[in-house]
Amino acid sequence: YDLKLPEEGDRWASRVYALAPNSAIARKMQMLAALARDDREETLRLCKAIIEDRIDNRRGSFTDAVFTYGSLMMMENRSQEAYDYLVSQDPSITDFSVLAEGPHAGSLQGIAGMVKLDFASREELIADWEATKTAMEAADLPWTENEWNRLSDRYVRGDYDEAASILINEIWSKPLATYIGRSSDLENVSMRELLNRPDVIAAKAQRDEEFMLARAEVQEMLLSPEWNE
């Protein structure tokens, strides 16, 4: 599904549905299948159902649904609506000076902060990020070791040169196979201010080419006899 091969993905997802039809993984597969088919309406419906049911976070089933929901809503220019919805699920997440506990509240808080990039003032975004950093440091969490945290730190401050450098040289420089979804539009929607830069455009074009090659290779591989027994 990450490679936008929904028919091929369905063959493998069917095994999950047969063995554990009501599992968190099955719910995640349904969401990913809709996403792979570019059916945004159905994807959003499935994401909200997962969020409201507070399913188990096995293999990121819950966190992936929250991220997908927030990213799609940003792509549709519905960020304020997304923020209001996420907060309605847990009003405590608006206090960024307190790290939400557990994968459910933690995911809701993280993506609430992400969608705010589209409508909050820079002053508010910086204040939220500073509160989050302080909370992470108080909890002895080495936030600077995560390249996405460092990118966010530069991005909310308007330092787009350094943010672009981190994106290109630290995040996109990793092998595509380590995280296939990294090059998707869904993954990049929270960095709108970077996407029109010539250096980012060039790097993304290279990443997209790698993605299409990987997609073609997997599609061809799945046609071989050993994958069709």
Side-chain angles (χ1 to χ4, degrees), residues 72-91:
L72 281 179
M73 291 294 279
M74 291 182 81
M75 291 175 74
E76 296 198 343
N77 297 313
R78 298 165 63 189
S79 298
Q80 180 70 66
E81 179 186 344
Y83 179 80
D84 293 341
Y85 171 74
L86 295 171
V87 171
S88 76
Q89 296 299 303
D90 186 346

Side-chain angles (χ1 to χ4, degrees), residues 163-174 176 182-184 188 194-211:
S165 176
I166 294 170
L167 178 64
I168 295 169
N169 299 316
E170 298 187 43
I171 296 174
W172 285 352
S173 65
K174 295 179 180 180
L176 183 67
R182 187 179 289 116
S183 64
S184 72
N188 303 322
L194 302 184
L195 298 182
N196 291 324
R197 293 172 55 100
D199 52 350
V200 173
I201 290 172
K204 188 176 186 305
Q206 181 178 351
R207 200 70 177 173
D208 289 345
E209 183 178 353
E210 293 174 12
F211 177 89

Side-chain angles (χ1 to χ4, degrees), residues 1-8 35-38 184 211 215:
Y1 291 138
D2 283 344
L3 286 169
K4 298 295 184 183
L5 295 170
E7 292 182 5
E8 290 82 352
L35 183 63
R37 291 184 171 86
D38 293 320
S184 72
F211 177 89
R215 183 180 186 277

Side-chain angles (χ1 to χ4, degrees), residues 148-179:
W148 283 104
N149 283 339
R150 286 185 282 105
L151 187 154
S152 295
D153 182 65
R154 294 296 89 203
Y155 189 87
V156 298
R157 299 178 195 283
D159 184 356
Y160 299 137
D161 288 343
E162 182 60 23
S165 176
I166 294 170
L167 178 64
I168 295 169
N169 299 316
E170 298 187 43
I171 296 174
W172 285 352
S173 65
K174 295 179 180 180
L176 183 67
T178 62
Y179 181 29

Side-chain angles (χ1 to χ4, degrees), residues 67-226:
F67 172 78
T68 300
Y69 171 79
S71 297
L72 281 179
M73 291 294 279
M74 291 182 81
M75 291 175 74
E76 296 198 343
N77 297 313
R78 298 165 63 189
S79 298
Q80 180 70 66
E81 179 186 344
Y83 179 80
D84 293 341
Y85 171 74
L86 295 171
V87 171
S88 76
Q89 296 299 303
D90 186 346
S92 71
I93 64 174
T94 59
D95 184 356
F96 291 95
S97 68
V98 178
L99 297 180
E101 295 185 5
H104 296 108
S107 299
L108 293 171
Q109 186 177 59
I111 302 306
M114 182 184 81
V115 298
K116 281 186 77 172
L117 290 169
D118 268 0
F119 62 84
S121 67
R122 185 172 304 281
E123 291 75 17
E124 184 177 355
L125 292 174
I126 292 175
D128 287 347
W129 173 241
E130 286 294 336
T132 299
K133 280 202 317 178
T134 299
M136 287 191 290
E137 290 166 356
D140 291 326
L141 296 176
W143 69 269
T144 58
E145 293 181 8
N146 182 294
E147 59 267 28
W148 283 104
N149 283 339
R150 286 185 282 105
L151 187 154
S152 295
D153 182 65
R154 294 296 89 203
Y155 189 87
V156 298
R157 299 178 195 283
D159 184 356
Y160 299 137
D161 288 343
E162 182 60 23
S165 176
I166 294 170
L167 178 64
I168 295 169
N169 299 316
E170 298 187 43
I171 296 174
W172 285 352
S173 65
K174 295 179 180 180
L176 183 67
T178 62
Y179 181 29
I180 292 172
R182 187 179 289 116
S183 64
S184 72
D185 291 338
L186 197 72
E187 192 77 18
N188 303 322
V189 69
S190 63
M191 302 174 289
R192 295 183 196 272
E193 297 296 335
L194 302 184
L195 298 182
N196 291 324
R197 293 172 55 100
D199 52 350
V200 173
I201 290 172
K204 188 176 186 305
Q206 181 178 351
R207 200 70 177 173
D208 289 345
E209 183 178 353
E210 293 174 12
F211 177 89
M212 294 307 296
L213 286 172
R215 183 180 186 277
E217 288 175 5
V218 170
Q219 192 169 34
E220 182 177 359
M221 177 189 74
L222 292 176
L223 293 174
S224 61
E226 60 266 31

Side-chain angles (χ1 to χ4, degrees), residues 31-75:
M31 177 197 73
L32 292 177
L35 183 63
R37 291 184 171 86
D38 293 320
D39 187 341
R40 290 189 185 181
E41 183 178 354
E42 178 65 3
T43 303
L44 287 170
R45 185 190 71 80
L46 292 167
C47 286
K48 291 181 72 173
I50 287 173
I51 292 169
E52 290 165 16
D53 290 345
R54 295 294 194 276
I55 70 167
D56 183 73
N57 196 42
R58 183 173 177 80
R59 296 189 67 83
S61 296
F62 185 85
T63 55
D64 285 355
V66 180
F67 172 78
T68 300
Y69 171 79
S71 297
L72 281 179
M73 291 294 279
M74 291 182 81
M75 291 175 74

